Amino acid sequence: MRKRNESVTVEHERAAAAPAPLDKGCSLRHSLRLPAAAADTGMKRPLGRRYGLWFRLRKLIIWLLGVYIAIPFLVKLCPAIQAKLVFLNFVRVPYFIDLKRPQDQGLNHTCNYYLQPEEDVTIGVWHTVPAALWKNARGKDQLWFEDALGSSHPVILYLHGNAGTRGGDHRVELYKVLSSLGYHVVTFDYRGWGDSIGSPSERGMTYDALHVFDWIKARSGDNPVYIWGHSLGTGVATNLVRRLCERETPPDALILESPFTNIREEARSHPFSIYRYFPGFDWFFLDPITTSGIKFANDENVKYISCSLLILHAEDDPVVPFHLGKKLYNIAATSRSFRDYKVQFVPFHTDLGYRHKYIYRSPELPRILR
């Protein structure tokens, strides 16, 4: 009995170890095939991944498209947004500098003041003396700097553009250049910029500039006073000089660096305006600027200005297109108000790489200003 049982067990094991039978096509029978459910899962997994990725991508595209379409309506309903984008006064570059200490920016011959053009408005002012007075200026107080405006050196009132502060890097470099050429340089942050107190507006910026100009004239005696505006500051400069000419106290000259014709044309021509081809662009974006009381109409102002005018513009300017500066010059050159004054346009070739804010690097600048 034991032998018989052992033989049955051995035969059973052999049968279990034997290979599965082959069909006529020499392939294994269905006993070795994958289960149908496992095969379907393997095919569905990559398909599911691709479908999930496409679904998320499509969802993102729809969301971005919705935001792109919603922004024009948001700007139209809230014109203050567009005003913020014009002024960019909330962008304080460079960050973490103490505007009370211009010496930290390498301006050891500069004094920081605070003036009050209107009630509840305070503006921060920097006064850099000419190179000839650098040694005497060390350690002196505000009263000495104010008296120094009466020395026999011309004064430049510099009106900076949007964004940043009076301590911006390229602005500081220009102060140094002008100081080395023998000019007093007085600059300030408009209300709402830097550490100046108040809410920005075109009217307010112009009034701040007028207040500083009168403050300079009260101390400079018969010394020449020139107005220098850069970018958005050219709009403030022409507003200011037009008012000065109307009251018959014009400056000795007006210098416009990288100017535009008016804020609507500048906004339409700005390289970063991704909506310029959007249907109803003027209605959505330009009309709210006008509604906010922002015009900066350089092209209109120059028709009422009667003093020498110098326009500086780089051909590779990526912010204010060169053709707008040239157009403004053509308007001024044919204006009756300039018939007794010199109007000059100085272009800077693309190869120089001065772009929007580096004209101060030009070795020709001393000759041009002379």
Side-chain angles (χ1 to χ4, degrees), residues 272-283:
F272 305 129
S273 179
I274 61 175
Y275 287 97
R276 71 178 71 177
Y277 303 114
F278 192 88
F281 174 77
D282 284 19
W283 188 78

Side-chain angles (χ1 to χ4, degrees), residues 145-369:
F145 274 83
E146 290 187 31
D147 290 340
L149 285 169
S151 62
S152 57
H153 296 276
V155 184
I156 289 180
L157 171 57
Y158 179 77
L159 306 172
H160 68 67
N162 67 352
T165 68
R166 61 189 184 276
D169 293 340
H170 66 282
R171 294 163 186 165
V172 169
E173 294 304 315
L174 178 62
Y175 311 154
K176 292 177 181 177
V177 169
L178 296 177
S179 174
S180 69
L181 296 177
Y183 297 97
H184 288 277
V185 182
V186 178
T187 186
F188 66 97
D189 280 321
Y190 316 104
R191 59 185 72 187
W193 272 260
D195 58 353
S196 297
I197 299 172
S199 300
S201 67
E202 180 175 353
R203 186 207 67 84
M205 295 164 71
T206 303
Y207 191 81
D208 293 344
L210 179 62
H211 181 81
V212 177
F213 177 85
D214 288 341
W215 179 87
I216 292 171
K217 289 297 290 182
R219 291 158 178 78
S220 61
D222 295 330
N223 293 330
V225 178
Y226 309 120
I227 309 295
W228 184 312
H230 173 243
S231 191
L232 188 67
T234 63
V236 182
T238 61
N239 281 348
L240 169 62
V241 176
R242 178 176 176 175
R243 290 189 63 174
L244 293 176
C245 291
E246 288 174 346
R247 76 177 194 184
E248 299 182 353
T249 57
D252 293 273
L254 171 62
I255 303 165
L256 302 178
E257 179 188 358
S258 306
F260 48 86
T261 48
N262 58 70
I263 199 64
R264 289 178 71 97
E265 285 198 0
E266 161 57 10
R268 188 182 293 113
S269 304
H270 200 289
F272 305 129
S273 179
I274 61 175
Y275 287 97
R276 71 178 71 177
Y277 303 114
F278 192 88
F281 174 77
D282 284 19
W283 188 78
F284 278 112
F285 291 96
L286 302 186
D287 290 350
I289 296 178
T290 305
T291 301
S292 299
I294 303 173
K295 297 180 179 179
F296 291 115
N298 290 335
D299 50 354
E300 282 298 313
N301 288 337
V302 294
K303 298 175 183 177
Y304 300 91
I305 289 175
S306 52
C307 68
S308 296
L309 172 64
L310 171 64
I311 296 178
L312 311 172
H313 214 133
E315 293 178 354
D316 59 339
D317 191 327
V319 179
V320 180
F322 178 79
H323 71 87
L324 291 185
K326 186 67 174 178
K327 182 178 179 180
L328 181 63
Y329 165 73
N330 291 332
I331 295 171
T334 58
S335 174
R336 291 183 179 180
S337 64
F338 285 103
R339 62 178 177 268
D340 296 326
Y341 300 95
K342 185 176 182 180
V343 179
Q344 186 177 3
F345 181 83
V346 180
F348 295 88
H349 196 271
T350 301
D351 294 343
L352 297 172
Y354 294 155
R355 298 172 67 79
H356 183 59
K357 55 187 180 183
Y358 301 113
I359 288 177
Y360 71 85
R361 295 176 178 174
S362 172
E364 296 295 313
L365 195 57
R367 179 190 61 79
I368 295 169
L369 293 180

